[in-house]
PDB file of all heavy atoms in Angstrom:
ATOM      1  N   LYS A   1      55.648  64.192  98.404  1.00 95.00           N
ATOM      2  CA  LYS A   1      56.282  65.351  97.960  1.00 95.00           C
ATOM      3  C   LYS A   1      55.286  66.244  97.141  1.00 95.00           C
ATOM      4  O   LYS A   1      55.271  67.370  97.214  1.00 95.00           O
ATOM      5  CB  LYS A   1      57.466  65.162  97.065  1.00 95.00           C
ATOM      6  CG  LYS A   1      58.728  64.589  97.831  1.00 95.00           C
ATOM      7  CD  LYS A   1      59.904  64.237  96.872  1.00 95.00           C
ATOM      8  CE  LYS A   1      61.095  63.748  97.538  1.00 95.00           C
ATOM      9  NZ  LYS A   1      62.225  63.473  96.559  1.00 95.00           N
ATOM     10  N   ARG A   2      54.472  65.532  96.357  1.00 94.00           N
ATOM     11  CA  ARG A   2      53.537  66.248  95.627  1.00 94.00           C
ATOM     12  C   ARG A   2      52.312  66.644  96.363  1.00 94.00           C
ATOM     13  O   ARG A   2      51.735  67.732  96.015  1.00 94.00           O
ATOM     14  CB  ARG A   2      53.011  65.318  94.582  1.00 94.00           C
ATOM     15  CG  ARG A   2      54.020  65.020  93.378  1.00 94.00           C
ATOM     16  CD  ARG A   2      53.462  64.006  92.434  1.00 94.00           C
ATOM     17  NE  ARG A   2      54.387  63.636  91.264  1.00 94.00           N
ATOM     18  CZ  ARG A   2      54.273  62.839  90.356  1.00 94.00           C
ATOM     19  NH1 ARG A   2      53.126  62.060  90.428  1.00 94.00           N
ATOM     20  NH2 ARG A   2      55.029  62.617  89.455  1.00 94.00           N
ATOM     21  N   ARG A   3      51.911  66.071  97.470  1.00 96.00           N
ATOM     22  CA  ARG A   3      50.745  66.214  98.185  1.00 96.00           C
ATOM     23  C   ARG A   3      50.914  67.223  99.404  1.00 96.00           C
ATOM     24  O   ARG A   3      49.802  67.915  99.728  1.00 96.00           O
ATOM     25  CB  ARG A   3      50.198  64.919  98.719  1.00 96.00           C
ATOM     26  CG  ARG A   3      49.653  64.080  97.583  1.00 96.00           C
ATOM     27  CD  ARG A   3      49.223  62.767  98.147  1.00 96.00           C
ATOM     28  NE  ARG A   3      48.753  61.887  97.087  1.00 96.00           N
ATOM     29  CZ  ARG A   3      48.446  60.588  97.111  1.00 96.00           C
ATOM     30  NH1 ARG A   3      48.431  60.036  98.511  1.00 96.00           N
ATOM     31  NH2 ARG A   3      47.891  59.833  96.292  1.00 96.00           N
ATOM     32  N   VAL A   4      52.087  67.504  99.945  1.00 98.00           N
ATOM     33  CA  VAL A   4      52.085  68.249 101.230  1.00 98.00           C
ATOM     34  C   VAL A   4      53.055  69.377 100.942  1.00 98.00           C
ATOM     35  O   VAL A   4      54.089  69.390 100.131  1.00 98.00           O
ATOM     36  CB  VAL A   4      52.527  67.383 102.417  1.00 98.00           C
ATOM     37  CG1 VAL A   4      51.527  66.224 102.523  1.00 98.00           C
ATOM     38  CG2 VAL A   4      53.975  66.882 102.251  1.00 98.00           C
ATOM     39  N   ASP A   5      52.843  70.434 101.621  1.00 98.00           N
ATOM     40  CA  ASP A   5      53.608  71.651 101.684  1.00 98.00           C
ATOM     41  C   ASP A   5      55.088  71.377 102.126  1.00 98.00           C
ATOM     42  O   ASP A   5      55.364  70.382 102.858  1.00 98.00           O
ATOM     43  CB  ASP A   5      53.011  72.755 102.507  1.00 98.00           C
ATOM     44  CG  ASP A   5      53.655  74.097 102.484  1.00 98.00           C
ATOM     45  OD1 ASP A   5      53.155  74.851 101.437  1.00 98.00           O
ATOM     46  OD2 ASP A   5      54.641  74.407 103.131  1.00 98.00           O
ATOM     47  N   GLU A   6      55.986  72.307 101.750  1.00 98.00           N
ATOM     48  CA  GLU A   6      57.430  72.125 101.988  1.00 98.00           C
ATOM     49  C   GLU A   6      57.571  72.093 103.493  1.00 98.00           C
ATOM     50  O   GLU A   6      58.560  71.474 103.937  1.00 98.00           O
ATOM     51  CB  GLU A   6      58.144  73.012 101.252  1.00 98.00           C
ATOM     52  CG  GLU A   6      59.643  72.617 101.039  1.00 98.00           C
ATOM     53  CD  GLU A   6      60.375  73.261  99.927  1.00 98.00           C
ATOM     54  OE1 GLU A   6      59.673  73.833  98.948  1.00 98.00           O
ATOM     55  OE2 GLU A   6      61.649  73.343  99.948  1.00 98.00           O
ATOM     56  N   PHE A   7      56.925  72.858 104.257  1.00 98.00           N
ATOM     57  CA  PHE A   7      57.145  72.932 105.691  1.00 98.00           C
ATOM     58  C   PHE A   7      56.849  71.563 106.298  1.00 98.00           C
ATOM     59  O   PHE A   7      57.603  71.232 107.217  1.00 98.00           O
ATOM     60  CB  PHE A   7      56.393  74.006 106.321  1.00 98.00           C
ATOM     61  CG  PHE A   7      55.005  73.596 106.978  1.00 98.00           C
ATOM     62  CD1 PHE A   7      55.055  73.236 108.236  1.00 98.00           C
ATOM     63  CD2 PHE A   7      53.817  73.422 106.189  1.00 98.00           C
ATOM     64  CE1 PHE A   7      53.673  72.823 108.809  1.00 98.00           C
ATOM     65  CE2 PHE A   7      52.745  73.083 106.827  1.00 98.00           C
ATOM     66  CZ  PHE A   7      52.521  72.860 107.983  1.00 98.00           C
ATOM     67  N   ILE A   8      55.932  70.830 105.779  1.00 98.00           N
ATOM     68  CA  ILE A   8      55.684  69.498 106.339  1.00 98.00           C
ATOM     69  C   ILE A   8      56.735  68.515 105.946  1.00 98.00           C
ATOM     70  O   ILE A   8      57.352  67.812 106.664  1.00 98.00           O
ATOM     71  CB  ILE A   8      54.399  68.995 105.715  1.00 98.00           C
ATOM     72  CG1 ILE A   8      53.108  69.794 106.274  1.00 98.00           C
ATOM     73  CG2 ILE A   8      54.104  67.524 106.116  1.00 98.00           C
ATOM     74  CD1 ILE A   8      51.819  69.418 105.756  1.00 98.00           C
ATOM     75  N   GLN A   9      57.347  68.715 104.689  1.00 98.00           N
ATOM     76  CA  GLN A   9      58.512  67.848 104.300  1.00 98.00           C
ATOM     77  C   GLN A   9      59.682  68.275 105.148  1.00 98.00           C
ATOM     78  O   GLN A   9      60.446  67.303 105.631  1.00 98.00           O
ATOM     79  CB  GLN A   9      58.754  68.215 102.861  1.00 98.00           C
ATOM     80  CG  GLN A   9      57.603  67.764 101.858  1.00 98.00           C
ATOM     81  CD  GLN A   9      57.947  68.036 100.431  1.00 98.00           C
ATOM     82  OE1 GLN A   9      59.073  67.723  99.967  1.00 98.00           O
ATOM     83  NE2 GLN A   9      57.003  68.651  99.770  1.00 98.00           N
ATOM     84  N   TYR A  10      59.879  69.496 105.512  1.00 98.00           N
ATOM     85  CA  TYR A  10      61.097  69.821 106.398  1.00 98.00           C
ATOM     86  C   TYR A  10      60.993  69.075 107.828  1.00 98.00           C
ATOM     87  O   TYR A  10      61.858  68.565 108.210  1.00 98.00           O
ATOM     88  CB  TYR A  10      61.110  71.334 106.706  1.00 98.00           C
ATOM     89  CG  TYR A  10      61.466  72.183 105.489  1.00 98.00           C
ATOM     90  CD1 TYR A  10      61.289  73.492 105.550  1.00 98.00           C
ATOM     91  CD2 TYR A  10      62.108  71.680 104.265  1.00 98.00           C
ATOM     92  CE1 TYR A  10      61.601  74.391 104.579  1.00 98.00           C
ATOM     93  CE2 TYR A  10      62.435  72.473 103.467  1.00 98.00           C
ATOM     94  CZ  TYR A  10      62.252  73.916 103.356  1.00 98.00           C
ATOM     95  OH  TYR A  10      62.621  74.635 102.331  1.00 98.00           O
ATOM     96  N   GLY A  11      59.608  69.230 108.254  1.00 98.00           N
ATOM     97  CA  GLY A  11      59.383  68.456 109.620  1.00 98.00           C
ATOM     98  C   GLY A  11      59.532  66.950 109.545  1.00 98.00           C
ATOM     99  O   GLY A  11      60.003  66.411 110.417  1.00 98.00           O
ATOM    100  N   LEU A  12      59.077  66.354 108.374  1.00 98.00           N
ATOM    101  CA  LEU A  12      59.232  64.941 108.384  1.00 98.00           C
ATOM    102  C   LEU A  12      60.782  64.489 108.181  1.00 98.00           C
ATOM    103  O   LEU A  12      61.168  63.590 108.899  1.00 98.00           O
ATOM    104  CB  LEU A  12      58.356  64.499 107.092  1.00 98.00           C
ATOM    105  CG  LEU A  12      56.908  64.438 107.126  1.00 98.00           C
ATOM    106  CD1 LEU A  12      56.357  64.259 105.702  1.00 98.00           C
ATOM    107  CD2 LEU A  12      56.467  63.297 108.051  1.00 98.00           C
ATOM    108  N   VAL A  13      61.509  65.197 107.508  1.00 98.00           N
ATOM    109  CA  VAL A  13      62.850  64.785 107.356  1.00 98.00           C
ATOM    110  C   VAL A  13      63.704  65.141 108.600  1.00 98.00           C
ATOM    111  O   VAL A  13      64.530  64.313 109.116  1.00 98.00           O
ATOM    112  CB  VAL A  13      63.566  65.625 106.176  1.00 98.00           C
ATOM    113  CG1 VAL A  13      65.084  65.377 106.179  1.00 98.00           C
ATOM    114  CG2 VAL A  13      62.996  65.162 104.821  1.00 98.00           C
ATOM    115  N   ALA A  14      63.427  66.262 109.349  1.00 98.00           N
ATOM    116  CA  ALA A  14      64.055  66.565 110.601  1.00 98.00           C
ATOM    117  C   ALA A  14      63.730  65.617 111.631  1.00 98.00           C
ATOM    118  O   ALA A  14      64.529  65.275 112.400  1.00 98.00           O
ATOM    119  CB  ALA A  14      63.777  67.967 110.920  1.00 98.00           C
ATOM    120  N   SER A  15      62.442  65.094 111.654  1.00 98.00           N
ATOM    121  CA  SER A  15      61.939  64.094 112.486  1.00 98.00           C
ATOM    122  C   SER A  15      62.705  62.697 112.300  1.00 98.00           C
ATOM    123  O   SER A  15      63.220  62.097 113.257  1.00 98.00           O
ATOM    124  CB  SER A  15      60.558  63.854 112.377  1.00 98.00           C
ATOM    125  OG  SER A  15      59.801  65.032 112.758  1.00 98.00           O
ATOM    126  N   LYS A  16      62.933  62.436 111.062  1.00 98.00           N
ATOM    127  CA  LYS A  16      63.669  61.187 110.710  1.00 98.00           C
ATOM    128  C   LYS A  16      65.161  61.220 111.201  1.00 98.00           C
ATOM    129  O   LYS A  16      65.607  60.322 111.793  1.00 98.00           O
ATOM    130  CB  LYS A  16      63.642  61.086 109.190  1.00 98.00           C
ATOM    131  CG  LYS A  16      64.396  59.735 108.756  1.00 98.00           C
ATOM    132  CD  LYS A  16      64.223  59.672 107.263  1.00 98.00           C
ATOM    133  CE  LYS A  16      64.997  58.468 106.653  1.00 98.00           C
ATOM    134  NZ  LYS A  16      66.456  58.527 106.761  1.00 98.00           N
ATOM    135  N   HIS A  17      65.770  62.375 111.030  1.00 97.00           N
ATOM    136  CA  HIS A  17      67.074  62.607 111.592  1.00 97.00           C
ATOM    137  C   HIS A  17      67.149  62.573 112.999  1.00 97.00           C
ATOM    138  O   HIS A  17      68.101  61.939 113.586  1.00 97.00           O
ATOM    139  CB  HIS A  17      67.680  63.980 111.144  1.00 97.00           C
ATOM    140  CG  HIS A  17      67.900  64.133 109.584  1.00 97.00           C
ATOM    141  ND1 HIS A  17      68.298  65.187 108.885  1.00 97.00           N
ATOM    142  CD2 HIS A  17      67.786  63.006 108.602  1.00 97.00           C
ATOM    143  CE1 HIS A  17      68.397  64.925 107.613  1.00 97.00           C
ATOM    144  NE2 HIS A  17      68.068  63.716 107.481  1.00 97.00           N
ATOM    145  N   ALA A  18      66.194  63.132 113.665  1.00 98.00           N
ATOM    146  CA  ALA A  18      66.222  63.102 115.236  1.00 98.00           C
ATOM    147  C   ALA A  18      65.907  61.674 115.785  1.00 98.00           C
ATOM    148  O   ALA A  18      66.651  61.237 116.658  1.00 98.00           O
ATOM    149  CB  ALA A  18      65.126  64.017 115.644  1.00 98.00           C
ATOM    150  N   ILE A  19      65.096  60.888 115.078  1.00 98.00           N
ATOM    151  CA  ILE A  19      64.841  59.576 115.494  1.00 98.00           C
ATOM    152  C   ILE A  19      66.100  58.721 115.379  1.00 98.00           C
ATOM    153  O   ILE A  19      66.410  58.018 116.271  1.00 98.00           O
ATOM    154  CB  ILE A  19      63.505  59.017 114.918  1.00 98.00           C
ATOM    155  CG1 ILE A  19      62.388  59.735 115.324  1.00 98.00           C
ATOM    156  CG2 ILE A  19      63.508  57.423 115.137  1.00 98.00           C
ATOM    157  CD1 ILE A  19      61.027  59.467 114.552  1.00 98.00           C
ATOM    158  N   GLU A  20      66.715  58.870 114.208  1.00 97.00           N
ATOM    159  CA  GLU A  20      67.901  58.130 113.891  1.00 97.00           C
ATOM    160  C   GLU A  20      69.074  58.484 114.896  1.00 97.00           C
ATOM    161  O   GLU A  20      69.791  57.659 115.449  1.00 97.00           O
ATOM    162  CB  GLU A  20      68.395  58.414 112.471  1.00 97.00           C
ATOM    163  CG  GLU A  20      67.534  57.691 111.460  1.00 97.00           C
ATOM    164  CD  GLU A  20      67.895  58.151 109.926  1.00 97.00           C
ATOM    165  OE1 GLU A  20      68.704  59.080 109.885  1.00 97.00           O
ATOM    166  OE2 GLU A  20      67.446  57.528 109.093  1.00 97.00           O
ATOM    167  N   ASN A  21      69.094  59.881 115.165  1.00 97.00           N
ATOM    168  CA  ASN A  21      70.167  60.271 116.087  1.00 97.00           C
ATOM    169  C   ASN A  21      69.911  59.762 117.553  1.00 97.00           C
ATOM    170  O   ASN A  21      70.853  59.535 118.255  1.00 97.00           O
ATOM    171  CB  ASN A  21      70.102  61.815 116.146  1.00 97.00           C
ATOM    172  CG  ASN A  21      71.167  62.402 116.991  1.00 97.00           C
ATOM    173  OD1 ASN A  21      70.810  62.977 118.183  1.00 97.00           O
ATOM    174  ND2 ASN A  21      72.352  62.482 116.636  1.00 97.00           N
ATOM    175  N   SER A  22      68.714  59.547 117.908  1.00 97.00           N
ATOM    176  CA  SER A  22      68.283  59.080 119.222  1.00 97.00           C
ATOM    177  C   SER A  22      68.647  57.476 119.435  1.00 97.00           C
ATOM    178  O   SER A  22      68.794  57.203 120.517  1.00 97.00           O
ATOM    179  CB  SER A  22      66.792  59.332 119.545  1.00 97.00           C
ATOM    180  OG  SER A  22      65.987  58.370 118.832  1.00 97.00           O
ATOM    181  N   GLY A  23      68.786  56.859 118.343  1.00 98.00           N
ATOM    182  CA  GLY A  23      68.946  55.389 118.454  1.00 98.00           C
ATOM    183  C   GLY A  23      67.760  54.677 118.882  1.00 98.00           C
ATOM    184  O   GLY A  23      67.807  53.377 119.188  1.00 98.00           O
ATOM    185  N   LEU A  24      66.678  55.185 118.813  1.00 98.00           N
ATOM    186  CA  LEU A  24      65.338  54.501 119.183  1.00 98.00           C
ATOM    187  C   LEU A  24      64.994  53.412 118.186  1.00 98.00           C
ATOM    188  O   LEU A  24      65.191  53.506 116.911  1.00 98.00           O
ATOM    189  CB  LEU A  24      64.226  55.515 119.223  1.00 98.00           C
ATOM    190  CG  LEU A  24      64.150  56.442 120.432  1.00 98.00           C
ATOM    191  CD1 LEU A  24      63.104  57.594 120.095  1.00 98.00           C
ATOM    192  CD2 LEU A  24      63.742  55.715 121.609  1.00 98.00           C
ATOM    193  N   GLU A  25      64.615  52.335 118.780  1.00 96.00           N
ATOM    194  CA  GLU A  25      64.191  51.183 117.928  1.00 96.00           C
ATOM    195  C   GLU A  25      62.551  51.097 118.229  1.00 96.00           C
ATOM    196  O   GLU A  25      62.026  50.444 119.084  1.00 96.00           O
ATOM    197  CB  GLU A  25      64.831  49.827 118.210  1.00 96.00           C
ATOM    198  CG  GLU A  25      66.381  49.843 117.990  1.00 96.00           C
ATOM    199  CD  GLU A  25      66.989  48.586 118.359  1.00 96.00           C
ATOM    200  OE1 GLU A  25      66.224  47.680 118.932  1.00 96.00           O
ATOM    201  OE2 GLU A  25      68.184  48.529 118.289  1.00 96.00           O
ATOM    202  N   LEU A  26      61.910  51.920 117.425  1.00 97.00           N
ATOM    203  CA  LEU A  26      60.463  52.164 117.715  1.00 97.00           C
ATOM    204  C   LEU A  26      59.662  50.986 117.618  1.00 97.00           C
ATOM    205  O   LEU A  26      58.636  50.886 118.303  1.00 97.00           O
ATOM    206  CB  LEU A  26      59.909  53.262 116.636  1.00 97.00           C
ATOM    207  CG  LEU A  26      60.534  54.711 116.738  1.00 97.00           C
ATOM    208  CD1 LEU A  26      60.090  55.567 115.632  1.00 97.00           C
ATOM    209  CD2 LEU A  26      60.359  55.218 118.127  1.00 97.00           C
ATOM    210  N   ASP A  27      60.104  49.997 116.769  1.00 95.00           N
ATOM    211  CA  ASP A  27      59.249  48.689 116.553  1.00 95.00           C
ATOM    212  C   ASP A  27      59.161  47.869 117.883  1.00 95.00           C
ATOM    213  O   ASP A  27      58.283  47.051 118.020  1.00 95.00           O
ATOM    214  CB  ASP A  27      59.730  47.923 115.453  1.00 95.00           C
ATOM    215  CG  ASP A  27      59.531  48.527 114.080  1.00 95.00           C
ATOM    216  OD1 ASP A  27      58.648  49.446 113.945  1.00 95.00           O
ATOM    217  OD2 ASP A  27      60.289  48.151 113.084  1.00 95.00           O
ATOM    218  N   SER A  28      60.210  48.143 118.723  1.00 96.00           N
ATOM    219  CA  SER A  28      60.259  47.282 119.934  1.00 96.00           C
ATOM    220  C   SER A  28      59.582  48.047 121.164  1.00 96.00           C
ATOM    221  O   SER A  28      59.627  47.504 122.205  1.00 96.00           O
ATOM    222  CB  SER A  28      61.702  47.107 120.238  1.00 96.00           C
ATOM    223  OG  SER A  28      62.478  48.113 120.646  1.00 96.00           O
ATOM    224  N   LEU A  29      59.132  49.200 120.869  1.00 98.00           N
ATOM    225  CA  LEU A  29      58.510  50.005 121.965  1.00 98.00           C
ATOM    226  C   LEU A  29      56.970  50.041 121.916  1.00 98.00           C
ATOM    227  O   LEU A  29      56.292  49.886 120.854  1.00 98.00           O
ATOM    228  CB  LEU A  29      58.972  51.428 122.026  1.00 98.00           C
ATOM    229  CG  LEU A  29      60.660  51.515 122.098  1.00 98.00           C
ATOM    230  CD1 LEU A  29      61.059  52.930 121.873  1.00 98.00           C
ATOM    231  CD2 LEU A  29      61.051  51.065 123.379  1.00 98.00           C
ATOM    232  N   ASP A  30      56.291  50.443 123.082  1.00 98.00           N
ATOM    233  CA  ASP A  30      54.944  50.643 123.165  1.00 98.00           C
ATOM    234  C   ASP A  30      54.470  51.795 122.433  1.00 98.00           C
ATOM    235  O   ASP A  30      54.814  53.035 122.934  1.00 98.00           O
ATOM    236  CB  ASP A  30      54.549  50.566 124.556  1.00 98.00           C
ATOM    237  CG  ASP A  30      52.972  50.784 124.747  1.00 98.00           C
ATOM    238  OD1 ASP A  30      52.228  50.997 123.712  1.00 98.00           O
ATOM    239  OD2 ASP A  30      52.474  50.771 125.910  1.00 98.00           O
ATOM    240  N   SER A  31      53.875  51.847 121.284  1.00 98.00           N
ATOM    241  CA  SER A  31      53.535  52.977 120.499  1.00 98.00           C
ATOM    242  C   SER A  31      52.685  53.800 121.073  1.00 98.00           C
ATOM    243  O   SER A  31      52.541  55.071 120.819  1.00 98.00           O
ATOM    244  CB  SER A  31      53.045  52.536 119.021  1.00 98.00           C
ATOM    245  OG  SER A  31      51.869  51.914 119.197  1.00 98.00           O
ATOM    246  N   SER A  32      51.859  53.409 122.058  1.00 98.00           N
ATOM    247  CA  SER A  32      50.842  54.287 122.709  1.00 98.00           C
ATOM    248  C   SER A  32      51.555  55.213 123.704  1.00 98.00           C
ATOM    249  O   SER A  32      50.911  56.280 124.171  1.00 98.00           O
ATOM    250  CB  SER A  32      49.797  53.418 123.533  1.00 98.00           C
ATOM    251  OG  SER A  32      50.339  52.801 124.598  1.00 98.00           O
ATOM    252  N   ARG A  33      52.824  55.027 124.096  1.00 98.00           N
ATOM    253  CA  ARG A  33      53.617  55.760 124.975  1.00 98.00           C
ATOM    254  C   ARG A  33      54.506  56.787 124.160  1.00 98.00           C
ATOM    255  O   ARG A  33      55.406  57.400 124.835  1.00 98.00           O
ATOM    256  CB  ARG A  33      54.416  54.885 125.899  1.00 98.00           C
ATOM    257  CG  ARG A  33      53.497  53.971 126.647  1.00 98.00           C
ATOM    258  CD  ARG A  33      52.674  54.667 127.715  1.00 98.00           C
ATOM    259  NE  ARG A  33      53.418  55.411 128.645  1.00 98.00           N
ATOM    260  CZ  ARG A  33      52.949  56.156 129.511  1.00 98.00           C
ATOM    261  NH1 ARG A  33      51.646  56.557 129.509  1.00 98.00           N
ATOM    262  NH2 ARG A  33      53.842  56.949 130.418  1.00 98.00           N
ATOM    263  N   ILE A  34      54.279  56.927 122.889  1.00 98.00           N
ATOM    264  CA  ILE A  34      55.208  57.844 122.151  1.00 98.00           C
ATOM    265  C   ILE A  34      54.343  58.729 121.391  1.00 98.00           C
ATOM    266  O   ILE A  34      53.431  58.409 120.618  1.00 98.00           O
ATOM    267  CB  ILE A  34      56.037  56.965 121.146  1.00 98.00           C
ATOM    268  CG1 ILE A  34      56.905  55.915 121.787  1.00 98.00           C
ATOM    269  CG2 ILE A  34      57.066  57.994 120.341  1.00 98.00           C
ATOM    270  CD1 ILE A  34      57.553  54.951 120.875  1.00 98.00           C
ATOM    271  N   GLY A  35      54.540  60.106 121.642  1.00 98.00           N
ATOM    272  CA  GLY A  35      53.706  61.120 120.916  1.00 98.00           C
ATOM    273  C   GLY A  35      54.528  61.948 120.088  1.00 98.00           C
ATOM    274  O   GLY A  35      55.708  61.961 119.873  1.00 98.00           O
ATOM    275  N   VAL A  36      53.753  62.888 119.377  1.00 98.00           N
ATOM    276  CA  VAL A  36      54.343  63.900 118.456  1.00 98.00           C
ATOM    277  C   VAL A  36      53.750  65.339 118.734  1.00 98.00           C
ATOM    278  O   VAL A  36      52.592  65.411 118.737  1.00 98.00           O
ATOM    279  CB  VAL A  36      54.202  63.549 117.081  1.00 98.00           C
ATOM    280  CG1 VAL A  36      55.047  64.498 116.047  1.00 98.00           C
ATOM    281  CG2 VAL A  36      54.702  62.090 116.831  1.00 98.00           C
ATOM    282  N   SER A  37      54.551  66.261 118.695  1.00 98.00           N
ATOM    283  CA  SER A  37      54.143  67.763 118.859  1.00 98.00           C
ATOM    284  C   SER A  37      55.030  68.582 118.110  1.00 98.00           C
ATOM    285  O   SER A  37      56.031  69.030 118.666  1.00 98.00           O
ATOM    286  CB  SER A  37      53.837  68.105 120.250  1.00 98.00           C
ATOM    287  OG  SER A  37      53.350  69.576 120.304  1.00 98.00           O
ATOM    288  N   ILE A  38      54.734  68.921 116.946  1.00 98.00           N
ATOM    289  CA  ILE A  38      55.566  69.810 116.128  1.00 98.00           C
ATOM    290  C   ILE A  38      54.835  70.924 115.500  1.00 98.00           C
ATOM    291  O   ILE A  38      53.697  70.750 114.947  1.00 98.00           O
ATOM    292  CB  ILE A  38      56.167  68.997 114.883  1.00 98.00           C
ATOM    293  CG1 ILE A  38      57.040  67.836 115.331  1.00 98.00           C
ATOM    294  CG2 ILE A  38      57.051  69.905 114.032  1.00 98.00           C
ATOM    295  CD1 ILE A  38      57.491  66.883 114.242  1.00 98.00           C
ATOM    296  N   GLY A  39      55.169  72.086 115.909  1.00 98.00           N
ATOM    297  CA  GLY A  39      54.353  73.280 115.693  1.00 98.00           C
ATOM    298  C   GLY A  39      54.905  74.155 114.495  1.00 98.00           C
ATOM    299  O   GLY A  39      55.906  73.812 113.861  1.00 98.00           O
ATOM    300  N   SER A  40      54.135  75.063 114.035  1.00 98.00           N
ATOM    301  CA  SER A  40      54.547  76.001 113.127  1.00 98.00           C
ATOM    302  C   SER A  40      53.831  77.327 113.206  1.00 98.00           C
ATOM    303  O   SER A  40      52.653  77.351 113.750  1.00 98.00           O
ATOM    304  CB  SER A  40      54.134  75.379 111.652  1.00 98.00           C
ATOM    305  OG  SER A  40      54.444  76.325 110.620  1.00 98.00           O
ATOM    306  N   GLY A  41      54.490  78.414 112.829  1.00 96.00           N
ATOM    307  CA  GLY A  41      53.865  79.723 113.070  1.00 96.00           C
ATOM    308  C   GLY A  41      52.829  80.078 111.944  1.00 96.00           C
ATOM    309  O   GLY A  41      51.768  80.654 112.214  1.00 96.00           O
ATOM    310  N   ILE A  42      53.021  79.575 110.760  1.00 97.00           N
ATOM    311  CA  ILE A  42      52.171  79.903 109.542  1.00 97.00           C
ATOM    312  C   ILE A  42      51.611  78.656 108.907  1.00 97.00           C
ATOM    313  O   ILE A  42      50.501  78.690 108.536  1.00 97.00           O
ATOM    314  CB  ILE A  42      52.883  80.792 108.646  1.00 97.00           C
ATOM    315  CG1 ILE A  42      53.261  82.136 109.315  1.00 97.00           C
ATOM    316  CG2 ILE A  42      52.084  81.137 107.391  1.00 97.00           C
ATOM    317  CD1 ILE A  42      54.118  83.098 108.342  1.00 97.00           C
TER     318      ILE A  42
END
């Protein structure tokens, strides 16, 4: 919270919610086959 801008915090929390909503069990999957692309205008 102290180190990163609030837009990053929004993205981190929204990602957490999306992953939870998906039901993914990431620890059981091949991490090299999972990527991230979250953009921002500013």
Side-chain angles (χ1 to χ4, degrees):
K1 292 179 182 180
R2 290 175 177 172
R3 292 174 177 177
V4 303
D5 192 86
E6 201 159 337
F7 96 93
I8 296 176
Q9 296 180 44
Y10 291 167
L12 286 169
V13 174
S15 296
K16 179 178 184 291
H17 291 175
I19 291 168
E20 290 174 349
N21 181 252
S22 73
L24 284 169
E25 296 180 1
L26 296 176
D27 291 341
S28 66
L29 301 174
D30 181 355
S31 65
S32 69
R33 301 292 298 170
I34 307 173
V36 187
S37 179
I38 300 173
S40 181
I42 296 179

